[in-house]
């Protein structure tokens, strides 16, 4: 029962809304909890026991930390409890998600074969585990007080809209709105429906349609050549963005119906002018989590502080900055890659961005000096355009690395770009033979232009979608009917298309 299915929209979500609205205000959060448990069980069945174990460990750790701090002031004991709690949560995740991957690597390195046991992981384990770790650390750092009601903590960790694809929430982000029990109103229903409609437009008009091309492209031997590879790499990036951001729109819209505001996970990422800026706009909540709980603790650690004091005197500020950044960024991007899944390509994806970001830091002064030397302003049109195109190239290559099944396949595809038959695939119609008609490409292209036009507006006016209900009646209803008619008539559904599975559903 994914967020893009009829079961979710026609049965599950309406039933939850009705029961929620009928309940007394003080018990509405219980409705959300029971709905989240039902959602979890319908998809993962008995595997919810693993989630319950994570909740129990997280709750116990936080309460013990708070109790010992308030009664004995023994911070060493608090630290020990914090580490034990986090280690148990991580161990559950590691065993369920990475044990087969680890045994496979060990077997290849040692030359022995292991009988790998199939281990099923519950939905959203990577998402709720990160939230659990962040919660324990926030209690340990005294940023928040521990939640004394284990059922309320369960709702925070297992809230059904965030369970399968995020966003990754911090407890202060949702603590009040989750439990307030504010009623569903015409305004909240309207705002939620607008956001859900925009998400469905991205998915059904673009992501589900483009997926047919990518099934062909990545489902065969990497024999495509020339411009076809470049086009399919761009399609890969667009399809991934439309699927993930479209699903997040549906998720945020679902929560808005209950007057619960979830943190944004995307902010017009293709307007970024560097890889670092891209990751401040793409999967924002994962980036914030990694920055808060990995990057900052490493940069403020005793070892790094000693290095900074020594290196600034002996080696200069810029070199010190490069090395310090590399030390802090390496665990961030290693964890980022591993978090995405137990695959070599995901780890390579993390290391790819690690190298790119360190190089950006290293060459930043040289870049500024170059633009000054050629008398071009850094904030001028030409320099901004060059940086934008450079960032797009980095992004497109990275998303192709994210999608391929193996590193050799990626290298072969990249090598195939530089062939004598560079434009042949387009000229002889091979692209049209990859699962889509010319009409499909036209509809997809128009839809992409519409989405990016909306993104440009949102960049300048972040509240654009929420302001639609305030538009003149004829304008707002024209928008509503346009989206509905486009999805109904041109949406990618039926036997000719395969709906894209939620990319992060099993994470």
């Amino acid at each position: 029962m994914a967020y893009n299915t009829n079961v979710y929209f026609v049965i599950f979500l309406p039933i939850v809304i009705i029961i929620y609205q009928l309940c007394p205000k003080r018990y509405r959060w219980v409705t959300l909890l029971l709905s989240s448990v039902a959602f979890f069980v319908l998809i993962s069945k008995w595997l919810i026991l693993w989630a319950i174990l994570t909740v129990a460990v997280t709750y116990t750790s936080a309460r013990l930390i708070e109790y010992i701090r308030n009664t004995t002031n023994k911070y060493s004991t608090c630290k020990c409890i914090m580490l034990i709690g986090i280690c148990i949560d991580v161990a559950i995740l590691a065993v369920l998600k990475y044990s087969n991957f680890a045994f496979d690597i060990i077997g290849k390195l040692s030359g022995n074969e292991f009988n790998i046991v199939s281990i099923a992981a519950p939905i959203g384990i990577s998402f709720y585990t990160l939230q659990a770790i962040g919660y324990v650390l926030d209690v340990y750092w005294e940023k928040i007080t521990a939640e004394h009601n284990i059922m309320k903590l369960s709702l925070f960790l297992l809230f059904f809209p965030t369970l399968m694809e995020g966003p990754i929430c911090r407890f202060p982000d949702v603590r009040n709105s989750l439990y307030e029990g504010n009623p569903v109103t015409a305004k909240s229903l309207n705002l939620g429906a607008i956001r859900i409609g925009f998400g469905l437009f991205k998915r059904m008009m673009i992501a589900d349609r483009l997926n047919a091309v990518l099934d062909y492209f990545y489902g065969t031997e990497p024999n495509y050549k020339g411009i076809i590879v470049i086009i399919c790499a761009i399609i890969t990036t667009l399809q991934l963005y439309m699927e993930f951001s479209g699903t997040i729109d549906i998720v945020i819209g679902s929560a808005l119906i209950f007057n619960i505001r979830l943190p944004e996970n995307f902010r017009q990422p293709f307007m970024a002018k560097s890889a670092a800026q891209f990751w401040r706009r793409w999967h924002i909540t994962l980036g914030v989590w990694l920055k808060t709980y990995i990057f900052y603790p490493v940069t403020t650690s005793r070892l790094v502080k000693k290095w900074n004091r020594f290196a600034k005197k002996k080696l200069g500020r810029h070199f010190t900055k490069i090395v310090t950044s590399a030390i802090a960024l390496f665990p961030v991007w290693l964890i980022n890659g591993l978090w995405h899944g137990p695959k070599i390509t995901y780890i390579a994806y993390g290391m790819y961005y690690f190298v790119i970001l360190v190089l950006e830091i290293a060459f930043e002064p040289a870049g500024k000096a170059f633009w000054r030397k050629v008398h071009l302003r850094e904030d001028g049109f030409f320099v901004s355009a060059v940086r934008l195109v450079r960032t797009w190239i980095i992004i497109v290559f990275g998303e192709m690395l994210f999608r391929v099944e193996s590193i050799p396949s990626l290298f072969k595809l990249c090598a195939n770009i530089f062939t004598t038959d560079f434009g042949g695939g387009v000229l002889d119609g091979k692209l049209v033979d990859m699962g889509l008609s010319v009409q499909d490409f036209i509809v997809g292209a128009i839809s992409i232009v519409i989405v990016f036009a909306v993104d440009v507006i949102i960049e300048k006016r972040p509240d654009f979608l929420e302001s639609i209900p305030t538009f003149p009646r004829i304008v707002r209803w024209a928008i509503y009917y346009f989206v509905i008619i486009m999805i109904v008539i041109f949406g990618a559904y039926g036997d000719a298309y395969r709906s894209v599975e939620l990319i992060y559903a099993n994470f």
Side-chain angles (χ1 to χ4, degrees):
M1 185 178 59
Y3 301 123
N4 60 322
T5 60
N6 291 333
V7 175
Y8 179 79
F9 287 117
V10 178
I11 300 175
F12 182 81
L13 188 58
I15 289 175
V16 175
I17 293 171
I18 293 169
I19 296 175
Y20 177 90
Q21 194 73 346
L22 291 175
C23 275
K25 181 177 180 179
R26 62 182 298 188
Y27 296 118
R28 281 176 177 154
W29 70 268
V30 179
T31 300
L32 296 178
L33 174 60
L34 294 176
S35 302
S36 299
V37 170
F39 185 85
F40 202 117
V41 170
L42 285 170
I43 298 174
S44 288
K45 299 180 176 59
W46 65 270
L47 294 175
I48 194 174
L49 296 176
W50 290 112
I52 292 172
L53 178 58
T54 298
V55 170
V57 170
T58 304
Y59 175 81
T60 304
S61 302
R63 287 299 307 277
L64 282 174
I65 290 168
E66 190 173 69
Y67 174 78
I68 292 171
R69 182 191 296 122
N70 293 338
T71 56
T72 66
N73 235 0
K74 292 183 178 179
Y75 284 90
S76 59
T77 306
C78 292
K79 185 176 182 179
C80 183
I81 293 170
M82 177 270 292
L83 291 173
I84 291 172
I86 289 176
C87 285
I88 294 174
D89 285 343
V90 171
I92 295 170
L93 172 65
V95 169
L96 295 179
K97 188 172 176 179
Y98 300 99
S99 54
N100 288 349
F101 177 68
F103 280 123
D104 185 49
I105 295 295
I106 293 170
K108 288 178 180 178
L109 292 175
S110 64
N112 299 318
E113 289 189 9
F114 294 94
N115 293 322
I116 298 176
V117 180
S118 178
I119 301 177
I123 57 163
I125 183 171
S126 294
F127 288 99
Y128 69 70
T129 300
L130 289 193
Q131 290 190 175
I133 293 169
Y135 170 79
V136 172
L137 284 170
D138 281 345
V139 172
Y140 173 72
W141 290 334
E142 299 185 68
K143 292 183 177 180
I144 60 172
T145 57
E147 174 56 59
H148 289 204
N149 188 328
I150 192 172
M151 294 297 117
K152 288 186 175 181
L153 180 63
S154 300
L155 175 58
F156 163 65
L157 294 178
L158 307 179
F159 185 40
F160 72 87
T162 66
L163 194 55
M164 295 179 74
E165 290 216 3
I168 300 166
C169 301
R170 295 183 62 214
F171 197 51
D173 295 337
V174 294
R175 184 175 201 166
N176 295 326
S177 59
L178 265 181
Y179 313 127
E180 282 178 344
N182 291 320
V184 176
T185 62
K187 180 180 178 181
S188 69
L189 200 58
N190 196 6
L191 291 177
I194 290 170
R195 195 65 185 264
I196 289 171
F198 190 46
L200 284 174
F201 187 90
K202 289 179 181 178
R203 285 193 57 94
M204 296 182 69
M205 298 298 296
I206 305 170
D208 289 351
R209 177 171 269 107
L210 296 183
N211 190 56
V213 174
L214 301 184
D215 279 347
Y216 270 88
F217 185 70
Y218 293 104
T220 59
E221 287 295 317
N223 292 323
Y224 293 101
K225 297 179 180 180
I227 197 171
I228 285 286
V229 178
I230 296 175
I231 292 172
C232 287
I234 294 170
I235 289 174
T236 300
T237 304
L238 292 172
Q239 191 271 342
L240 179 61
Y241 171 65
M242 297 301 173
E243 189 284 328
F244 193 13
S245 68
T247 303
I248 291 297
D249 286 330
I250 294 171
V251 162
I252 290 176
S254 298
L256 271 176
I257 291 173
F258 304 101
N259 284 289
I260 298 169
R261 288 191 172 272
L262 300 177
E264 294 291 341
N265 217 25
F266 289 90
R267 193 175 68 253
Q268 298 69 253
F270 298 108
M271 296 182 185
K273 296 174 184 175
S274 67
Q277 196 178 110
F278 170 74
W279 274 97
R280 288 194 290 271
R281 292 168 170 262
W282 176 285
H283 211 335
I284 296 169
T285 56
L286 176 61
V288 169
W289 192 96
L290 291 167
K291 183 187 293 184
T292 305
Y293 303 110
I294 306 295
F295 183 83
Y296 285 154
V298 172
T299 54
T300 57
S301 65
R302 189 175 301 174
L303 179 63
V304 171
K305 285 181 178 179
K306 285 183 177 179
W307 156 256
N308 284 337
R309 285 195 296 268
F310 166 78
K312 283 178 182 178
K313 295 177 181 177
K314 303 290 184 180
L315 304 171
R317 288 183 175 275
H318 185 58
F319 184 78
T320 302
K321 181 181 178 181
I322 295 171
V323 176
T324 301
S325 299
I327 293 170
L329 287 172
F330 181 79
V332 165
W333 289 100
L334 178 62
I335 292 170
N336 186 306
L338 281 170
W339 180 86
H340 279 90
K343 286 177 64 176
I344 293 295
T345 51
Y346 289 152
I347 297 172
Y349 177 76
M351 292 298 97
Y352 167 74
Y353 273 105
F354 164 70
V355 172
I356 292 293
L357 292 178
V358 172
L359 289 176
E360 281 188 351
I361 294 168
F363 287 101
E364 183 181 12
K368 290 181 176 181
F370 173 78
W371 296 123
R372 283 197 303 270
K373 189 172 183 179
V374 296
H375 306 291
L376 287 171
R377 290 172 47 209
E378 286 190 68
D379 58 349
F381 174 79
F382 179 78
V383 176
S384 296
V386 169
R387 288 176 171 172
L388 198 65
V389 172
R390 178 197 63 187
T391 304
W392 286 346
I393 294 170
I394 291 169
I395 294 167
V396 168
F397 182 82
E399 299 314 321
M400 191 161 66
L401 172 58
F402 185 87
R403 182 67 186 257
V404 293
E405 289 301 317
S406 67
I407 303 297
S409 295
L410 176 69
F411 288 155
K412 187 171 182 181
L413 284 171
C414 291
N416 285 352
I417 294 174
F418 306 99
T419 62
T420 54
D421 188 25
F422 182 76
V426 174
L427 297 176
D428 61 19
K430 187 180 292 183
L431 191 62
V432 180
D433 294 334
M434 297 171 69
L436 294 182
S437 65
V438 173
Q439 291 82 357
D440 278 316
F441 279 107
I442 293 172
V443 171
I446 293 172
S447 301
I448 290 169
V449 170
I450 291 170
V451 169
F452 280 111
V454 173
D455 277 355
V456 170
I457 296 172
I458 293 174
E459 178 74 5
K460 297 179 179 178
R461 186 180 172 183
D463 65 340
F464 171 71
L465 292 179
E466 294 194 11
S467 68
I468 290 177
T470 66
F471 290 1
R473 182 178 299 177
I474 189 171
V475 176
R476 67 173 183 267
W477 279 103
I479 294 172
Y480 298 158
Y481 278 120
F482 173 79
V483 172
I484 293 170
I485 291 170
M486 286 288 286
I487 291 174
V488 170
I489 297 178
F490 299 109
Y493 55 86
D495 295 335
Y497 303 98
R498 182 177 67 83
S499 179
V500 187
E501 295 180 4
L502 303 186
I503 293 173
Y504 289 88
N506 295 318
F507 282 20

